[in-house]
Amino acid sequence: MAHATDVLMKHFKDSSALFDAIMQSAVDGMVIIDQRGVVLAFNRSAEKLFGYKAEEVTGQNVSMLMPSPFREGHDGYLERYIATGRRIIVGTIREVTGRRKDGFQFPLELSVSEFRSEGCIFFSGILHDITERKDDERALQEARTQLEERVRKRTEQLEHVNERLQQRLEEESRMAAELRLASKVFENAGEAILITDENARVISVNDAYVRITGFDRDQIIGRNPRIAKSGRHDKSFYKAMWDGLRESGKWSGEIWDRRDNGEIYPKWLTITVVRNEADEVSNYVGIFTDISEAKQVEERLQQLAYYDSLTNLPNRKLFSERLEHDLETALRHKKRLALMFIDLDRFKYVNDTFGHAVGDELLVEVSKRLRGCVRKADTVARLGGDEFTVILTDVGREEHAAQVAGNIITQLQKPIHVAGEELLIGASIGISLHPQDGENAETLVKHADIAMYQAKKGGRGIFKFFMEEMNAWTRHQITLEAKLKRAVERNEFTVFYQPKVDQMAGKVVGMEALVRWEHPEHGVVSPGEFIPLAEETGMIIPIGVQVLTEACHQAKRWLDAGFGSLRVAVNLSARQLSQRDEFRQTLEAVLEDTGLPPEMLEIEVTESMIMQDVDHTIKTLQGLTEMGMHLAMDDFGTGYSSLSYLKRFPIDTLKIDRSFVRDTPADPDDVAIVSAIISMARSLNLCVVAEGVETREQLVFLKNLGCSIIQGYHFSPPLPSDKFEDYLRKFSM
Ligand code: C2E
Ligand code: CA
Ligand code: CA
């Protein structure tokens, strides 16, 4: 140590005073240490800094001036520096922490320089207290942080404001666009728009308004829209409208107004009340469309949905609704109601014969006549085809309904002139009464229908009131149907034969095959009881085949047995005839199976049968005659065939209906009819058979007219085959 001091002193020997002066006058603290860290010099400023006297520090390790963590590393650091020359401190200015004698720590700026002399290394450190600067720095830092914080906050606020401004801007531009759109809509709308002030004075209308109403803008602006009132609505209508507006701020409805040209038209109007911020009415906005066209379409649709397009009568739908409604009214006022079902008797014939156009015209005429028979409050409806109904409301007594029905029948019996033709139709009417025949519409309809069916069955051209027995009859039909079905399956049918006798030649020339139902319990059932049902249900087809087969077999047997050439006549039903080719094939098959020559078979058809689908019937019948079969027109005179008409069919024989023969020769009318038929047949070169001949007088009468072929009880009723065979034997004897 002494050596180092000496060396230092020696180094500064010539300038020791200067050294001392510099040391002591320096504002910064100065410390000189040797390479071990021992303090060699410590100036006054250093004393002030550290609170140590120079003599307290000199000779001590400099680390005493450092706080704990630095102190420990200092010696090692010096050693490493001297050994390796790696500097950390030397040559730089660093901020370090000093430790005062009283233990207080403070920041220092330290710059160290090194100098060597005579193999010794020294370090001089200049120390500058930077407490103040540090404090300033900290304060500054704090101030900056605060400032930054404020700036950040402000920025945030600004951003927020900006955002809202942006939103506001967008909103405004959208509103502007909407406004533009609204005014465009206002101007170009198809709906008329009218805006008034709070006193309902018009302030604006659009083009559509001008177009629809015909009013110019200056005619309406400033005035009350009521100038377009049509006068169609009463005060209460407008009151209800204003009440609605007051209550809900909105009113919609159909309203009739007047156009400038005076025309009254319907429109669909919606009025909306507009209120200002103070919730006071500021405007009324009316939007409307002209619905006159839509109304027309609606009316047309209504017409289509509820009325028959041909006759303009209510259709089935409207009929049902009216009936329900009328029933309610009748119930309320304790009135009687009558329901009629009307069926035209020969409509199908007219339609098939003269074509649909004529049929249609006929229906139109019929509907006119029907309307003419009832009061205004009554309903005449067409349910379809030739089915009409009449609802008579307020029927005093049953007789009233009977009168109306009778009148309808009379009116429809009068000839109808269509397309140069005189058409004769007629009607059958079934009547049900409310309340006695049914409480509800469904029952009344069912019962009127049953009564009508009975009227038709009862000979047509009549009306029938529904009777409870008719219901029983309907039930009977239903059980009968089931039994008939079984009979077809079990082939419970047999064939009876009734001879046709040539009274002049005195011999049997043929026989009519007549079906019988041999019911296991009821015994023999006659065809009158089941043929209509069999026709209706289609069971007549299998029955017909069974009869045909049996009859042909039998005829062939008698032919083979040598009874002569007896032609067998088989009755045909309309159903069989409408089978056309299929029926023809059946015939061919039966003839082939039985071996009966076709000319030994005669087919009996009725007028009404062949009047259906005339052209096809003619074709089918022609096919049969071409095969060699004979054709007879059965029940002649009951239908409506005219002479010219008859010529079109390939008929060989006319059979005069029993009903005309029955009262001859007593009834002059029947005598005239039978005579006419016979002479007509002769002129057409047709064979005539008189049916239902029961008495000698009839026989003679017919003989005198030249009618030779006779069928009837006078000779024989229909007989089972064995009895018929006996008859043949007896007759030829
Ligand atoms: P229709 O073809 O006019 O047959 C003649 C009917 O008159 C037969 O009645 C016969 O018994 C009856 N009759 C004959 N002569 C007399 C008489 O002197 N006095 C009276 N009061 N009646 C007489 P039936 O057998 O009861 O047949 C009734 C109807 O049933 C037939 O009338 C015919 O239309 C139909 N029918 C009978 N058999 C068949 C069949 O196999 N097929 C079809 N589709 N219908 C048949
Ligand atoms: Ca017959
Ligand atoms: Ca007959």
Side-chain angles (χ1 to χ4, degrees), residues 165-206:
L165 265 171
Q166 193 67 28
Q167 276 175 6
R168 196 48 196 277
L169 253 162
E170 276 169 20
E171 219 164 87
E172 263 165 23
S173 75
R174 206 179 56 232
M175 269 161 61
E178 271 172 17
L179 254 167
R180 268 200 308 279
L181 193 67
S183 72
K184 235 189 196 146
V185 168
F186 178 77
E187 263 329 312
N188 300 323
E191 293 89 357
I193 304 174
L194 158 146
I195 302 171
T196 74
D197 62 13
E198 71 275 24
N199 298 316
R201 256 195 311 269
V202 177
I203 53 176
S204 180
V205 296
N206 69 349

Side-chain angles (χ1 to χ4, degrees), residues 512-514 569-572 604-606 634-635 655 691 711:
E512 179 171 2
L514 293 158
V570 176
N571 291 286
L572 202 64
E604 291 192 7
V605 292
T606 62
D634 205 357
D635 305 343
K655 294 184 78 176
E691 281 190 305
Q711 182 182 344

Side-chain angles (χ1 to χ4, degrees), residues 242-261:
W242 282 105
D243 285 350
L245 281 174
R246 254 192 304 280
E247 272 161 34
S248 65
K250 209 172 176 134
W251 180 88
S252 298
E254 196 183 301
I255 186 166
W256 291 75
D257 269 356
R258 190 179 55 80
R259 290 191 228 269
D260 187 35
N261 63 11

